[in-house]
């Protein structure tokens, strides 16, 4: 697809499928190169297919510079903006953000800066790195990310641990972010993939 570093065959296969979907999730184990696949996915849609102007990557704060380095290594692009700093600095960055093809920010900024992030995401590519961080239905980052998902043109979720405790976590990520509404109502999903609890609610996993 024109990257400076080639993808492995399994990575290229994921990218080929993902670029045909409105939303896609990559649950590869750590070390298998989910970041490279995300970059390949965005590169194909931005450069080769010209279906969007920018990719917004939301990631844990400690990984932002790593993501930036890998974008440079794989694409050679320099138009990468890492949103960081105090509120005044971030506001200045948002005001010039539409000039950048790649925008990287961390989850903790989602609810703080939502009104500045939302216009940048609208009809563009949105990547949720370590997507298990948005599994909480009522968490501020989860609520903000699900709202952004409905604005984005296409979405990609990355995680090595999409389910840590129970199937409802997968429901939140897939139904709320990757392909909004794909699993129907929470009750329909939990009736199929969990057991009715003895004291109400649901427990365990099945099917």
């Amino acid at each position: 697809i024109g990257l400076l570093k080639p993808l492995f065959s399994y990575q290229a296969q994921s990218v080929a499928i993902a670029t045909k979907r409105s939303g896609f999730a990559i649950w590869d184990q750590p070390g298998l190169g989910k970041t490279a696949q995300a970059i390949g996915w965005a590169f194909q849609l931005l450069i080769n297919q010209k279906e969007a102007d920018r990719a917004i990557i939301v990631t844990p704060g400690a990984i932002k510079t790593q993501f930036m380095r890998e974008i440079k290594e794989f694409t050679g692009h320099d138009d990468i903006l890492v949103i960081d700093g105090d509120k005044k600095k971030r506001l200045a960055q948002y005001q010039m953000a539409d000039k950048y093809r790649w925008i990287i920010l961390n989850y903790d900024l989602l609810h703080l800066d939502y009104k500045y992030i939302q216009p940048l995401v609208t009809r563009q590519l949105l990547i949720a790195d370590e997507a298990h961080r948005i599994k909480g239905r009522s968490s501020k980052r989860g609520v903000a990310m699900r709202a952004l998902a409905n604005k984005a043109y296409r979405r990609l979720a990355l995680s090595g641990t999409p389910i840590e405790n129970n199937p409802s976590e997968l429901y939140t990520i897939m139904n709320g972010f990757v392909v909004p509404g794909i699993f129907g109502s929470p009750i329909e999903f939990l009736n199929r993939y969990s057991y009715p609890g003895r004291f109400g609610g649901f427990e365990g996993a099945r099917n």
Side-chain angles (χ1 to χ4, degrees):
I1 60 178
L3 295 172
L4 299 180
K5 293 172 65 175
L7 298 176
F8 292 107
S9 58
Y10 69 89
Q11 294 174 322
Q13 185 177 31
S14 285
V15 169
I17 297 170
T19 52
K20 293 179 173 63
R21 308 283 177 83
S22 64
F24 194 73
I26 297 174
W27 303 146
D28 288 348
Q29 294 179 3
L32 292 181
K34 292 185 290 295
T35 301
Q37 293 174 72
I39 294 168
W41 172 80
F43 185 89
Q44 176 67 18
L45 292 170
L46 292 171
I47 306 302
N48 295 335
Q49 296 178 205
K50 302 187 186 305
E51 294 186 23
D53 299 316
R54 73 184 71 93
I56 294 85
I57 300 142
V58 186
T59 187
I63 305 177
K64 289 194 292 188
T65 54
Q66 176 187 328
F67 224 112
M68 178 181 68
R69 286 197 303 270
E70 292 206 39
I71 291 170
K72 288 183 177 179
E73 288 177 10
F74 276 91
T75 69
H77 295 170
D78 289 319
D79 54 343
I80 308 165
L81 177 62
V82 178
I83 303 293
D84 211 354
D86 59 23
K87 188 170 183 177
K88 183 178 180 181
K89 181 182 177 183
R90 297 199 310 272
L91 179 57
Q93 291 174 322
Y94 290 124
Q95 288 175 338
M96 63 179 182
D98 60 358
K99 299 179 176 65
Y100 289 82
R101 188 181 285 129
W102 305 86
I103 299 172
I104 305 170
L105 56 95
N106 54 294
Y107 283 106
D108 295 331
L109 298 180
L110 288 177
H111 68 282
L112 295 175
D113 299 345
Y114 182 84
K115 68 178 180 179
Y116 306 113
I117 297 168
Q118 183 252 307
L120 297 171
V121 170
T122 301
R123 294 185 296 278
Q124 305 300 330
L125 309 181
L126 181 60
I127 297 171
D129 188 27
E130 304 293 341
H132 51 273
R133 295 188 177 228
I134 57 172
K135 67 182 181 181
R137 287 187 57 78
S138 58
S139 69
K140 290 180 179 179
R141 68 179 60 165
V143 170
M145 202 62 171
R146 289 192 292 277
L148 290 173
N150 285 298
K151 303 288 185 181
Y153 170 57
R154 295 188 191 231
R155 296 155 302 277
L156 184 70
L158 313 173
S159 177
T161 53
I163 303 177
E164 295 177 297
N165 298 300
N166 58 68
S168 67
E169 297 170 357
L170 183 64
Y171 176 87
T172 305
I173 298 172
M174 290 297 298
N175 197 79
F177 176 77
V178 179
V179 184
I182 191 172
F183 282 148
S185 74
I187 297 299
E188 290 172 328
F189 178 85
L190 292 170
N191 273 329
R192 181 169 184 176
Y193 295 110
S194 291
Y195 296 97
R198 287 178 295 173
F199 306 105
F202 295 88
E203 60 187 24
R206 63 174 173 165
N207 295 332

